[in-house]
């Protein structure tokens, strides 16, 4: 017994699923029209790096971050192994949003990445290890950090890279230095 789907109903459902996030994003945005905007801008920048535990092993991550009025722009890299040449790696350009609450900083972003290196036949770093083709991936990043002093923050980062060659994710800790 097979399940039959009506193509027009599937298209309608797909449009609703794709349109719902757009409606949610645009309905919460603020339109200034002819209103006055603040003339001062808040630009923060920094560099962060640290060890991580990934789905493929112990690795490292690093980011170069610019935060302009809570719009986060970053160049990020992740490696799934401490041994250079045997890891799966990515280099990503990300856009996201951030917020500060007292001495805490929260951010989330997504973008596009180039991935490459060595991969496994299994999703979680088991099986035979083979060289993977350099390809495009779609990274997701999130961070919660605590800023004990003006130029230093300690954070917990999560990351995921969805791609067709070797998907991976993980969590790590980082030290962030810069202007906050």
């Amino acid at each position: 017994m097979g399940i039959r789907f009506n193509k027009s109903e599937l298209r309608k459902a797909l449009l609703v699923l794709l349109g719902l996030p757009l409606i949610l994003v645009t309905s919460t945005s603020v339109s200034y029209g002819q209103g006055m905007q603040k003339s001062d801008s808040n630009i923060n920048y920094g560099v962060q790096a640290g060890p991580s535990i990934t789905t493929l092993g112990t690795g490292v991550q690093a980011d170069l971050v610019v935060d302009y009025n809570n719009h986060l722009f970053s160049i990020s890299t992740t490696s799934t192994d401490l041994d250079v040449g045997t890891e799966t790696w990515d280099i990503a350009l990300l856009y996201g949003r951030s917020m500060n609450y007292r001495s805490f900083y929260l951010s989330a972003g997504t973008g596009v990445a180039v991935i490459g290196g060595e991969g496994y036949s299994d999703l979680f770093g088991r099986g035979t290890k083979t060289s993977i083709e350099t390809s495009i991936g779609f990274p997701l990043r999130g961070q919660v950090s605590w800023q004990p002093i003006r130029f230093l923050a300690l954070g917990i980062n999560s990351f995921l890279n969805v791609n067709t060659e070797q998907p991976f994710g993980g969590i790590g800790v980082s030290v962030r230095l810069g202007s906050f």
Side-chain angles (χ1 to χ4, degrees):
M1 180 172 149
I3 298 174
R4 300 191 133 208
F5 293 103
N6 185 346
K7 288 183 181 180
S8 66
E9 293 298 322
L10 284 174
R11 285 186 187 125
K12 288 178 187 177
L14 183 61
L15 285 174
V16 168
L17 287 174
L18 294 175
L20 188 59
L22 180 64
I23 291 169
L24 291 174
V25 167
T26 58
S27 66
T28 60
S29 67
V30 177
S31 177
Y32 289 100
Q34 293 181 359
M36 298 295 290
Q37 291 184 357
K38 290 189 225 176
S39 61
D40 61 334
S41 61
N42 186 12
I43 299 176
N44 298 312
Y45 52 89
V47 62
Q48 63 188 30
S52 60
I53 302 296
T54 73
T55 55
L56 302 175
T58 304
V60 293
Q61 58 188 354
D63 298 292
L64 179 62
V65 179
V66 175
D67 190 330
Y68 177 73
N69 290 337
N70 296 331
H71 293 274
L72 184 68
F73 302 93
S74 71
I75 298 173
S76 175
T77 184
T78 306
S79 173
T80 62
D81 196 344
L82 298 175
D83 189 15
V84 176
T86 63
E87 81 278 18
T88 303
W89 53 264
D90 76 350
I91 299 173
L93 294 173
L94 301 157
Y95 168 76
R97 298 289 299 194
S98 65
M99 69 175 277
N100 289 311
Y101 179 72
R102 298 186 185 190
S103 62
F104 291 95
Y105 177 82
L106 291 89
S107 68
T110 188
V112 64
V114 175
I115 68 143
E118 299 286 320
Y120 293 91
S121 59
D122 184 29
L123 184 62
F124 293 104
R126 293 184 210 102
T128 59
K129 195 172 204 178
T130 60
S131 179
I132 59 175
E133 294 287 325
T134 302
S135 65
I136 300 294
F138 299 98
L140 301 167
R141 304 280 198 266
Q143 177 186 40
V144 175
S145 62
W146 171 63
Q147 179 183 337
I149 57 178
R150 179 85 178 123
F151 60 89
L152 174 76
L154 306 171
I156 298 174
N157 305 323
S158 62
F159 56 90
L160 178 67
N161 191 310
V162 180
N163 59 71
T164 58
E165 294 292 326
Q166 181 67 63
F168 62 90
I171 190 165
V173 294
S174 66
V175 175
R176 182 174 168 189
L177 300 171
S179 167
F180 307 132

